[in-house]
């Protein structure tokens, strides 16, 4: 019903910046779009989310002040601007979507690799 495609990952030096994009093929109105990440040997963790209808956002404490999530209504795309990157930010980043009436994220993208070198 909803397809998500991430892009923008790559290799960046510590202290640098990177912007991830997530294009959604279905309707996103009244949905939440989120970013998650999974580092090698660790469990998946929440990074940030945006409520599509209002643009309200939430962030994990580990990325507050460094990452910014936003959305473009015309393009049906959500972005994750990552600044002041650290080696510990290295992970596969996933875009996910859930209905505003639910708790569990139902739809997931394939992920994009972000590697921060130190």
């Amino acid at each position: 019903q909803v397809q998500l495609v991430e892009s923008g990952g790559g290799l960046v030096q510590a202290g640098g910046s990177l912007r991830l994009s997530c294009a959604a093929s279905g309707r996103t109105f009244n949905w939440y779009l989120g970013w998650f990440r999974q580092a090698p040997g660790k469990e998946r963790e929440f990074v940030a989310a945006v409520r599509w209808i209002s643009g309200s956002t939430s962030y994990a404490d580990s990325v507050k002040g460094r990452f910014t999530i936003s959305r473009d209504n015309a393009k049906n795309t959500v972005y994750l601007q990552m600044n002041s990157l650290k080696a510990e930010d290295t992970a596969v980043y996933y875009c996910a979507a859930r209905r505003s009436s639910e708790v569990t994220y139902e739809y997931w993208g394939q992920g994009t690799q972000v590697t921060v070198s130190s």
Side-chain angles (χ1 to χ4, degrees), residues 32-35 46-51 55-61 63-64 67-69 80 98 105:
Y32 284 81
L33 277 297
W35 286 98
F46 169 80
V47 176
V50 59
R51 187 183 182 188
S56 61
T57 60
S58 61
Y59 298 91
D61 289 340
V63 305
K64 284 183 178 178
F67 291 10
T68 302
I69 188 170
L80 184 68
R98 67 172 174 88
Y105 281 84

Side-chain angles (χ1 to χ4, degrees), residues 2 32 45 54 61-62 72 74 88-89 91 111:
V2 175
Y32 284 81
E45 65 174 337
S54 66
D61 289 340
S62 60
D72 187 322
E88 50 263 43
D89 294 318

Side-chain angles (χ1 to χ4, degrees), residues 14-35:
S17 298
L18 208 60
R19 189 179 76 161
L20 306 182
S21 299
C22 174
S25 63
R27 292 182 61 186
T28 53
F29 195 74
N30 282 336
W31 287 66
Y32 284 81
L33 277 297
W35 286 98

Side-chain angles (χ1 to χ4, degrees), residues 73 92 98:
N73 291 332
V92 177
R98 67 172 174 88

